[in-house]
Amino acid sequence: MALVPTMGALHEGHLSLIRAARVENDVVVVSAFVNPMQFGPREDLERYPRDLGRDRRLCEGAGVDLLFSPTAEEMYPRGFSTWVEVEGLTDGLCGRHRPGHFRGVCTVVTKLFNICSPDRAYFGEKDAQQLAVVARMVRDLDMRLAIVPCPTVREADGLAMSSRNARLTPEERAQAPSVYRALSAAKKLVETGERSVVAVRDAIRTVLAEADLGEIDYVEIVRADDMAQVSVVEGSCLIAVAVNFGGSGTRLIDNIRVSA
Ligand code: AMP
């Protein structure tokens, strides 16, 4: 049995996870739950897109057996007081910029695993730190399932698909592909021999400057296995970017893998 955990407002990225799950499992469960515990007090919990009717239709069309969409009260009854926390891997990137975020993610994912007892759970590489954190949690706590990573699905112009993209203003949407353009330029630079983190980050910032409606949250180069910052680009690394489009209050993340 497969579980595909989501926050709903499904798009082609989610559907690619569902399709991968459909191929490898007899039963596919999708959860759609906007988990309040992974949002900070000044984040977009209230404004997060929700459309359960559409999610249901998309799941039916994709051959999903069960769509699980609990309420916050069901997931967090009065007196809820148990948390799952992964250390180290959560120190940088989104962990640093969103305190408590991964504690909320790990806690809800643990609950979903316990509720559904899947053999496999599918996660997107778009949220690379989340994927690494969940895989570490499963290993460390001897959870009896496999975590299956799935590649990032992009719009034709390179923008990584995200439920939050729908909230971008037309002007922001026009600038948003700069995020992937910047990552692609960085990867090319590494492929042509650049090993300096400073030089690669500068190149990314130069491209991102085109998106003047966005404010950079972080541009980081980390080791792919433990998300630790590197001083030179070597081995398998992840170049990760977060940009906040303040007009609509939409924060976009993306990453690209490089080998040097
Ligand atoms: P979300 O609903 O945004 O929390 O995402 C639910 C799952 O779908 C996570 O494992 C995400 O990494 C994955 N996902 C979201 N967007 C994409 C995408 N563009 N490509 C691949 N996976 C994605």
Side-chain angles (χ1 to χ4, degrees):
M1 195 258 265
L3 174 66
V4 182
T6 81
M7 295 207 298
L10 300 182
H11 52 68
E12 199 52 43
H14 299 118
L15 291 173
S16 75
L17 270 57
I18 293 170
R19 280 195 284 271
R22 191 64 282 170
V23 171
E24 296 169 332
N25 301 272
D26 51 352
V27 173
V28 176
V29 177
V30 172
S31 61
F33 177 58
V34 184
N35 174 32
M37 300 301 188
Q38 70 188 66
F39 287 78
R42 279 175 299 281
E43 293 182 0
D44 59 349
L45 173 62
E46 303 306 326
R47 287 174 296 125
Y48 196 85
R50 292 164 172 87
D51 190 344
L52 194 56
R54 182 172 171 277
D55 291 346
R56 193 176 295 123
R57 286 193 297 280
L58 286 172
C59 283
E60 274 169 17
V64 170
D65 297 286
L66 188 93
L67 174 60
F68 178 53
S69 56
T71 64
E73 292 71 29
E74 286 169 325
M75 290 296 270
Y76 303 108
R78 191 187 300 274
F80 184 90
S81 48
T82 304
W83 302 96
V84 182
E85 193 140 11
V86 173
E87 296 179 346
L89 274 179
T90 55
D91 287 348
L93 306 175
C94 289
R96 181 158 66 241
H97 291 260
R98 303 184 69 187
H101 171 67
F102 285 114
R103 181 174 98 138
V105 168
C106 288
T107 302
V108 79
V109 166
T110 298
K111 285 173 64 69
L112 292 168
F113 288 173
N114 286 338
I115 292 165
C116 302
S117 300
D119 303 299
R120 301 182 190 85
Y122 293 73
F123 287 85
E125 290 173 347
K126 200 214 104 188
D127 301 282
Q129 189 178 21
Q130 170 174 278
L131 174 58
V133 167
V134 169
R136 179 69 60 85
M137 174 185 82
V138 165
R139 190 201 72 177
D140 288 354
L141 297 183
D142 309 294
M143 294 181 175
R144 299 177 75 83
L145 79 162
I147 300 302
V148 184
C150 300
T152 302
V153 178
R154 300 179 178 283
E155 302 284 358
D157 60 12
L159 176 63
M161 289 195 182
S162 163
S163 305
R164 289 187 168 98
N165 291 351
R167 288 219 325 266
L168 294 167
T169 66
E171 296 75 21
E172 290 171 342
R173 176 63 188 81
Q175 293 191 358
S178 295
V179 173
Y180 185 59
R181 261 203 306 279
L183 290 171
S184 304
K187 185 179 168 95
K188 203 164 281 170
L189 210 54
V190 172
E191 283 171 352
T192 54
E194 186 59 75
R195 296 291 173 265
S196 156
V197 166
V198 173
V200 175
R201 290 175 70 183
D202 282 351
I204 292 174
R205 286 176 182 277
T206 302
V207 179
L208 285 178
E210 294 167 6
D212 61 354
L213 299 173
E215 195 187 330
I216 296 173
D217 218 0
Y218 63 72
V219 174
E220 301 284 1
I221 306 177
V222 297
R223 272 201 305 256
D225 55 351
D226 63 2
M227 303 282 134
Q229 274 187 28
V230 296
S231 45
V232 285
V233 187
E234 61 183 6
S236 183
C237 292
L238 210 68
I239 307 179
V241 168
V243 175
N244 192 42
F245 284 92
S248 62
T250 307
R251 184 174 178 276
L252 302 182
I253 60 170
D254 200 353
N255 68 84
I256 205 163
R257 199 180 263 264
V258 294
S259 302

